[in-house]
Amino acid sequence: MGKACLVQKSELIFSNKSLWLLLWPLLVEQLLQITLGMADVAMVSSIGEAAVGGVSLVDQINILLTQVFAALATGGAVVCSQYIGAKRKDMADESARQLLYTVTIFSLALLLAGLVFYRQILSLVFGKIEADVMQSSRLYFLITLFALPGIALYSAAAALFRAQGNSRVSMAIALLVNVLNIGGNAIMIYGLKCGVEGVAVPTLLSRTAAAFVLLAKLYRAKPSKENASDTFLSIRGISRLHIEWPIVAKILKIGIPNGIENSAFQIGKILVLSLIATFGTGAIAANASANTLAALEVLPGAAAGLALLTVVGQCIGAGKKDQAVYYTKKIMLFTYAGFWALNIPFLLFSKQILGLYSMSEETTMLAWYMTLTHGIFGMLIWPLSFTLPNSLRAAGDAAFTMVVSFVSMWTIRVGMSYVFKYTQIFGLVGFMNWPLSFCALGVWFAMILDWVLRSFFFVIRFARGSWKNKRVV
């Protein structure tokens, strides 16, 4: 465990209890988000494969847009957590306000651009897709654009609660989103017999409501009853608009590299999704269903990654670099244990779960192969590729993770996806006598190769330790 083993237990910033109180709500929150995604796909599948295809295609663009907010939220969370670790509450509060200003400006700019160019965006990204799929895509995209400000503020506010170690609030709000979203879907799809708007409108309403609740809680923030000395963030005074450029610069120092990394990653995914679209509506539906289950497979890693932003950020802010290493290793052990405990039984029943979707036998089988590929290799490589680098980001080493992710995404995942397409996975499709739609599996094989390259560089960077000297505040 390195030098941290020599630290007295009383000197550790986080006890085992406080780590668990941080981690378990994050696990539940991530599960709620995944459940929401599964419910969306299952409900829209009752409308038809064209609707599934339209929603899944647009969701890839929406994820790209929300990645901008997630990146900025990460930047704000890192700055706030380091100020919290340094016991500078006034600066943590100011950083919280500046983060909310920043995401609001970005979300309104994206909303305006989307409204003006939404037809061109869909045509450029997806090209010639079936007419009914394009019609569903346009309607769904137009409605969900109006959810962007709510999503931006929701992401930022939830990140601020996690930065101070309070993940229970964001978990509770995730539950609220699920109730409003799934309930709204049920009413509009099954009750009012709506099409894709039956999924889009509840998305808009639930994210907007969640943002208002979180902002109200931040405005009325008080110390916890359990410990009145707990650090808590407050955004009082936010109505007196003033931009503190030095703080915004600190947020953007993490947010911009993270945003470029996330955006490049998502653009690459959209590009390979347009490649999958060339194999037909069945391949699109299989990919959408498998992606939903894949999110469940990486649940422990996603939750642990959020925890690392808080834990490592506070350790670096407090000047305790040895503890940043100690907690990273500890949380990574938890991540791997969680991966194996979840995925072994899950993979055994994944085919039956996919059978719950209203898809053809061929589409279901393709989705199953995708799910198996992701789950098996996820247990081995995913945490090193996506959980570990959050320690680097939390310390301020976001530029390195950006470069590695960008290069790996475009040279390996995108490049090899096209190689696998034009070679029909080096003849595997013909050898196995699979239908041509199974060429879409090549995208998932290229993804695994991308993970291998990422994990190689991130492990080396962590072991060398230079990331510990990248403190932001």
Side-chain angles (χ1 to χ4, degrees):
M1 291 299 180
K3 293 182 180 179
C5 290
L6 303 177
V7 178
Q8 294 296 321
K9 213 169 186 181
S10 60
E11 296 178 355
L12 290 172
I13 296 177
F14 293 89
S15 64
N16 288 335
K17 180 181 178 181
S18 61
L19 280 179
W20 178 241
L21 289 176
L22 175 64
L23 278 164
W24 79 258
L26 290 174
L27 284 167
V28 175
E29 179 183 349
Q30 295 301 302
L31 178 60
L32 288 169
Q33 291 183 7
I34 294 164
T35 302
L36 181 59
M38 294 176 69
D40 272 352
V41 173
M43 288 179 166
V44 80
S45 68
S46 66
I47 306 172
E49 286 195 352
V52 174
V55 170
S56 65
L57 289 174
V58 171
D59 273 345
Q60 297 306 308
I61 299 178
N62 285 341
I63 291 172
L64 170 61
L65 297 177
T66 56
Q67 288 294 346
V68 175
F69 313 137
L72 292 172
T74 297
V78 168
V79 172
C80 285
S81 63
Q82 290 196 14
Y83 274 129
I84 290 170
K87 308 297 183 183
R88 299 178 65 185
K89 182 184 182 305
D90 57 334
M91 294 302 296
D93 287 347
E94 189 58 60
S95 299
R97 289 188 286 268
Q98 297 303 314
L99 172 62
L100 295 175
Y101 293 146
T102 304
V103 297
T104 299
I105 293 170
F106 271 85
S107 66
L108 292 176
L110 289 173
L111 169 58
L112 179 61
L115 291 175
V116 174
F117 299 110
Y118 77 98
R119 287 179 178 270
Q120 294 89 332
I121 292 170
L122 292 175
S123 297
L124 175 66
V125 173
F126 301 121
K128 294 181 179 180
I129 57 176
E130 297 172 26
D132 53 351
V133 176
M134 179 59 81
Q135 183 179 355
S136 296
S137 297
R138 286 175 177 169
L139 178 58
Y140 183 69
F141 188 38
L142 186 60
I143 296 174
T144 54
L145 276 172
F146 288 96
L148 292 181
I151 293 172
L153 290 169
Y154 170 41
S155 299
L160 291 174
F161 277 105
R162 296 187 203 106
Q164 53 192 313
N166 188 346
S167 55
R168 285 166 289 181
V169 169
S170 57
M171 175 193 69
I173 299 304
L175 178 59
L176 172 65
V177 168
N178 273 42
V179 171
L180 294 177
N181 209 137
I182 295 175
N185 287 352
I187 292 171
M188 295 193 70
I189 293 175
Y190 303 132
L192 302 178
K193 307 300 181 183
C194 296
V196 293
E197 67 272 21
V199 181
V201 172
T203 297
L204 167 61
L205 297 178
S206 62
R207 299 319 190 274
T208 304
F212 275 114
V213 173
L214 282 173
L215 290 175
K217 288 188 70 66
L218 281 171
Y219 192 83
R220 299 196 303 266
K222 296 179 180 179
S224 71
K225 294 181 180 179
E226 291 83 2
N227 187 353
S229 65
D230 279 356
T231 300
F232 65 98
L233 296 175
S234 172
I235 59 170
R236 287 186 181 275
I238 194 171
S239 59
R240 298 188 296 273
L241 178 62
H242 62 291
I243 304 297
E244 294 287 346
W245 292 111
I247 296 178
V248 172
K250 293 179 188 295
I251 294 172
L252 296 181
K253 183 179 179 181
I254 304 298
I256 289 179
N258 200 30
I260 293 173
E261 176 184 341
N262 291 347
S263 298
F265 181 79
Q266 196 59 34
I267 290 170
K269 286 184 67 176
I270 291 173
L271 187 60
V272 296
L273 182 59
S274 66
L275 185 153
I276 287 175
T278 64
F279 300 123
T281 302
I284 296 173
N287 188 72
S289 303
N291 268 318
T292 304
L293 297 191
L296 182 59
E297 292 174 337
V298 301
L299 171 65
L306 292 174
L308 281 173
L309 290 175
T310 298
V311 173
V312 174
Q314 290 194 24
C315 289
I316 295 296
K320 298 183 181 295
K321 300 177 183 179
D322 54 345
Q323 292 195 34
V325 175
Y326 168 73
Y327 285 120
T328 298
K329 293 179 178 179
K330 190 168 189 173
I331 290 175
M332 287 298 294
L333 286 174
F334 161 83
T335 303
Y336 268 103
F339 255 81
W340 285 80
L342 171 65
N343 278 274
I344 290 176
F346 177 75
L347 290 176
L348 292 176
F349 296 99
S350 58
K351 193 171 186 180
Q352 288 80 357
I353 295 171
L354 287 166
L356 300 175
Y357 293 92
S358 302
M359 299 186 297
S360 66
E361 183 178 351
E362 177 184 311
T363 300
T364 300
M365 183 60 68
L366 175 56
W368 185 51
Y369 285 152
M370 292 173 172
T371 303
L372 286 179
T373 300
H374 188 276
I376 291 171
F377 287 96
M379 289 188 290
L380 302 173
I381 312 170
W382 197 95
L384 296 175
S385 305
F386 295 99
T387 304
L388 179 62
N390 265 9
S391 282
L392 310 183
R393 297 185 187 101
D397 198 15
F400 178 81
T401 63
M402 175 193 70
V403 172
V404 170
S405 298
F406 187 92
V407 172
S408 183
M409 181 71 189
W410 287 93
T411 59
I412 303 299
R413 186 177 297 203
V414 175
M416 288 305 299
S417 290
Y418 279 88
V419 170
F420 285 139
K421 174 188 176 180
Y422 292 115
T423 63
Q424 293 191 7
I425 317 180
F426 292 111
L428 180 64
V429 173
F431 178 77
M432 297 296 294
N433 199 29
W434 285 336
L436 284 179
S437 63
F438 278 52
C439 287
L441 272 173
V443 169
W444 292 69
F445 295 159
M447 173 182 65
I448 304 305
L449 296 177
D450 171 37
W451 294 357
V452 172
L453 185 62
R454 287 168 184 266
S455 61
F456 174 78
F457 284 106
F458 291 146
V459 169
I460 290 177
R461 184 71 163 188
F462 180 80
R464 288 180 175 174
S466 60
W467 58 276
K468 292 179 288 184
N469 301 315
K470 301 287 184 177
R471 179 171 171 168
V472 180
V473 304

